[in-house]
Amino acid sequence: MDSIIEKRIGVPKLRDRIVSAEEAAALIPDGAVVGLSGFTRAGDAKVVPIALVERAKKEKFKIDVYTGASLGPEVDHYLAEAGVIRKRGPYQGEKAMRNLINKGDILYVDAHLSHNAELVRQGIIGPIKYAIIEVCAITEDGLLIPTTSVGNSPIFAQYAENIILELNISHSDTLIGIHDIYVPGPQGKREPIPITNANQRIGEKGIRVDLDKIKAIVISEEPDAPSLIVAPDEETQRMADLLLDFFRSEIKAGRLTNELMPIQSGVGSVANAVLDGFKESEFENLQVYSECLQDAVFNLIDAGKVNFASATSITLTAEAQQKVYGNIEKYADKICLRPQEISNHPEVVRRLGLISINAALEVDIYGNVNSTHVAGTKMMNGIGGSGDFARNARLTVFVTKSYAKGGAISSIVPMVSHVDHTEHDVDVIVTEQGIADLRGLAPKERVPLIIENCAHPDFKDQLWDYYNRAVEATGNSQTPHILEEALSWHINLLKNNTMKKNVEVK
């Protein structure tokens, strides 16, 4: 046996369970509910799903797939296209998966990421026939050491009838020690989660399981798929500058200090770019308590701006992967990966007083936010963790460019076509046009701030026309709307490929 593999499997009896990916894939029966490790293309099972794709070429079978969040192409692209997935949850981010969901070929359960572990405990998700979990090592005392994400792996491992491990030896065993695995007890008998600072560790360095449930170990050397985020541009830099100025005004008002509060930044290019804007700022001794550590977090650590970052996954571009994973010991004492039910837990979010920054697809003139559905019917990715943080954060910020599709679509609309975050959970809206602080304002007080500060100039007159007529039509009601027209912008988009009135885009 290869000495590296022998070293990585610290429990000798488990070394006899090494099999090929094909043998492991053959264990999974038709109709099984399967829990997969992985969160935002990090630490996900890879070689067994690809073996399932090959198996699907010879026989028809379906499985239900639950994960931490989105996975790499091995699952959310190839496995979906192979027709293997019947139901998927709780978050995805691949075009192939998205298309099949929107065609109705795959059932999709979009859910708050902090809720999934409870659904497993209650048996709503399950029974889980197999959990497939990527690890970089198994310690001598039987702890499973995850790789670059924790996600839902601990709860899957606890409740699954059987476990398949993917031992990924391409990841350094210097990852041992960066994880903090704490699993809450049953509701009704549960102690408070003892986190009062983002840098606290409260659990074990690995996932404790019944070793008899491990039916197979497959050796892997497949790297994580690189993150798809794009570099910051002039408009996202403008949004970052606006947000930094807003924080300065909060400090002047005595609501924040120069160290701010722990920061949560959502997955994606815009949120990453906004966070990256802190690099040249005067803010210091920052902490991150988030679900995902993207490129910007490590840039801020390198710049001496962030002194600790806690999350459930590390999701990086190819360039950042080389920098971080090649020098993981440099960051080991500054990062911590937890189960997603802890990284996203409302109790901890509220206690720590987070500043939450997430991306929106569209925002309406009263501050309701749509994060998930294009034109109200087509799923983009999912709500992810944004709702976990938005409702419970000290300060909730949503960022979006004011337009999409080259200016054909306004991100500021009369009424959102799907509501993920109601006006009650939204404090601040930021676009490249400006910023709207909605705290303490009645609906009609929010309208001028959102239209004048956040909407693209091409749509301002159209928004004011709608609102003024709505006020007149409803007798100046609490939240004026013309119900017959509230979604007319989206109807115009479906018919004419634009939200602009009396314009058709070929």
Side-chain angles (χ1 to χ4, degrees):
M1 180 183 294
D2 188 290
S3 60
I4 294 176
I5 296 172
E6 188 171 351
K7 179 186 174 186
R8 296 289 185 94
I9 303 177
V11 180
K13 70 176 183 178
L14 294 179
R15 296 168 190 161
D16 294 335
R17 301 180 198 177
I18 295 174
V19 300
S20 68
E22 292 72 24
E23 289 173 300
L27 297 174
I28 299 171
D30 182 30
V33 177
V34 180
L36 297 181
S37 69
F39 192 105
T40 55
R41 301 167 71 91
D44 47 348
K46 304 173 182 71
V47 293
V48 176
I50 287 298
L52 286 170
V53 171
E54 292 302 311
R55 176 181 159 190
K57 294 176 182 178
K58 304 170 187 173
E59 62 174 294
K60 287 186 177 182
F61 66 99
K62 294 276 187 183
I63 58 175
D64 291 357
V65 172
Y66 292 91
T67 64
S70 57
L71 302 188
E74 293 84 2
V75 173
D76 282 348
H77 183 92
Y78 299 118
L79 203 56
E81 283 199 331
V84 171
I85 299 177
R86 186 190 77 92
K87 183 183 284 188
R88 176 76 167 86
Y91 186 88
Q92 54 77 39
E94 282 277 342
K95 184 178 179 181
M97 175 75 73
R98 182 185 308 130
N99 289 341
L100 290 168
I101 289 168
N102 288 321
K103 283 174 60 180
D105 293 342
I106 292 177
L107 297 172
Y108 182 52
V109 184
D110 186 27
H112 296 295
L113 297 186
S114 71
H115 289 188
N116 284 265
E118 300 296 356
L119 294 176
V120 172
R121 287 189 182 96
Q122 296 167 26
I124 305 300
I125 294 175
I128 299 173
K129 193 70 177 176
Y130 273 90
I132 309 176
I133 299 172
E134 183 180 83
V135 298
C136 68
I138 305 163
T139 66
E140 292 180 357
D141 56 348
L143 292 178
L144 309 183
I145 306 299
T147 56
T148 50
S149 74
V150 179
N152 277 322
S153 293
I155 201 71
F156 289 158
Q158 183 178 344
Y159 280 84
E161 295 174 15
N162 308 283
I163 298 172
I164 296 171
L165 298 180
E166 291 194 5
L167 178 63
N168 194 323
I169 59 175
S170 72
H171 285 291
S172 169
D173 58 4
T174 55
L175 287 171
I176 298 174
I178 72 165
H179 309 91
D180 184 51
I181 310 302
Y182 177 90
V183 179
Q187 288 177 321
K189 300 179 181 179
R190 181 175 298 176
E191 296 292 325
I193 298 170
I195 295 177
T196 57
N197 192 295
N199 63 15
Q200 281 179 284
R201 296 176 183 273
I202 60 173
E204 297 189 276
K205 66 182 180 182
I207 302 169
R208 192 167 294 281
V209 299
D210 175 358
L211 298 181
D212 289 337
K213 293 202 297 185
I214 299 174
K215 306 303 181 186
I217 298 175
V218 179
I219 307 305
S220 169
E221 296 185 66
E222 294 298 319
D224 289 342
S227 166
L228 299 176
I229 60 172
V230 297
D233 59 23
E234 185 177 337
E235 290 177 330
T236 54
Q237 184 59 53
R238 163 74 173 154
M239 293 158 71
D241 291 342
L242 287 165
L243 197 51
L244 293 175
D245 283 343
F246 173 76
F247 292 144
R248 293 181 183 110
S249 70
E250 289 293 286
I251 293 170
K252 189 174 181 180
R255 288 187 283 266
L256 291 173
T257 70
N258 204 49
E259 295 181 358
L260 303 179
M261 296 294 281
I263 298 167
Q264 178 266 326
S265 179
V267 176
S269 300
V270 175
N272 180 75
V274 170
L275 191 60
D276 204 56
F278 282 84
K279 192 165 52 179
E280 305 302 326
S281 75
E282 72 277 21
F283 302 108
E284 58 188 2
N285 294 322
L286 301 174
Q287 289 191 335
V288 172
Y289 192 89
S290 194
E291 60 184 9
C292 183
L293 304 182
Q294 299 190 112
D295 291 24
V297 172
F298 291 93
N299 293 340
L300 293 175
I301 291 174
D302 290 341
K305 296 293 184 181
V306 166
N307 60 34
F308 199 85
S310 168
T312 195
S313 80
I314 301 171
T315 303
L316 303 171
T317 60
E319 182 181 358
Q321 281 184 350
Q322 204 167 25
K323 176 184 79 168
V324 173
Y325 298 147
N327 301 278
I328 195 67
E329 63 280 352
K330 172 184 174 182
Y331 302 99
D333 64 340
K334 296 180 177 66
I335 61 174
C336 176
L337 297 184
R338 312 180 192 272
Q340 71 190 64
E341 68 171 321
I342 303 301
S343 68
N344 292 40
H345 203 290
E347 173 192 338
V348 182
V349 172
R350 180 68 62 88
R351 180 182 299 129
L352 297 184
L354 300 194
I355 295 171
S356 174
I357 307 167
N358 287 287
L361 283 181
E362 62 180 5
V363 181
D364 70 26
I365 57 176
Y366 298 111
N368 298 289
V369 169
N370 171 15
S371 296
T372 58
H373 284 71
V374 176
T377 63
K378 293 191 178 297
M379 173 59 64
M380 178 58 72
N381 297 326
I383 194 168
S386 57
D388 297 326
F389 296 101
R391 176 154 292 184
N392 302 288
R394 173 192 177 102
L395 183 65
T396 294
V397 180
F398 279 96
V399 296
T400 180
K401 292 191 177 184
S402 67
Y403 67 95
K405 299 295 183 184
I409 294 175
S410 173
S411 299
I412 310 298
V413 294
M415 179 186 281
V416 289
S417 56
H418 179 91
V419 182
D420 291 295
H421 313 284
T422 73
E423 60 187 279
H424 314 292
D425 301 330
V426 180
D427 295 325
V428 178
I429 302 295
V430 184
T431 73
E432 84 288 353
Q433 299 296 322
I435 191 166
D437 182 358
L438 309 180
R439 293 173 297 174
L441 300 183
K444 284 179 290 193
E445 292 179 298
R446 301 174 196 140
V447 174
L449 289 178
I450 293 173
I451 294 178
E452 288 302 317
N453 293 358
C454 298
H456 192 278
D458 289 354
F459 291 97
K460 284 184 180 180
D461 289 345
Q462 199 171 323
L463 286 164
W464 275 121
D465 174 66
Y466 171 83
Y467 174 70
N468 289 332
R469 287 186 298 106
V471 169
E472 183 178 352
T474 61
N476 200 26
S477 63
Q478 167 74 1
T479 309
H481 268 305
I482 304 171
L483 296 181
E484 298 89 338
E485 293 186 32
L487 296 176
S488 62
W489 291 39
H490 301 87
I491 295 169
N492 189 33
L493 175 65
L494 294 174
K495 288 182 177 179
N496 299 311
N497 297 314
T498 182
M499 286 185 173
K500 292 179 179 177
K501 207 169 184 179
N502 302 320
V503 174
E504 182 176 348
V505 178
K506 299 295 185 183

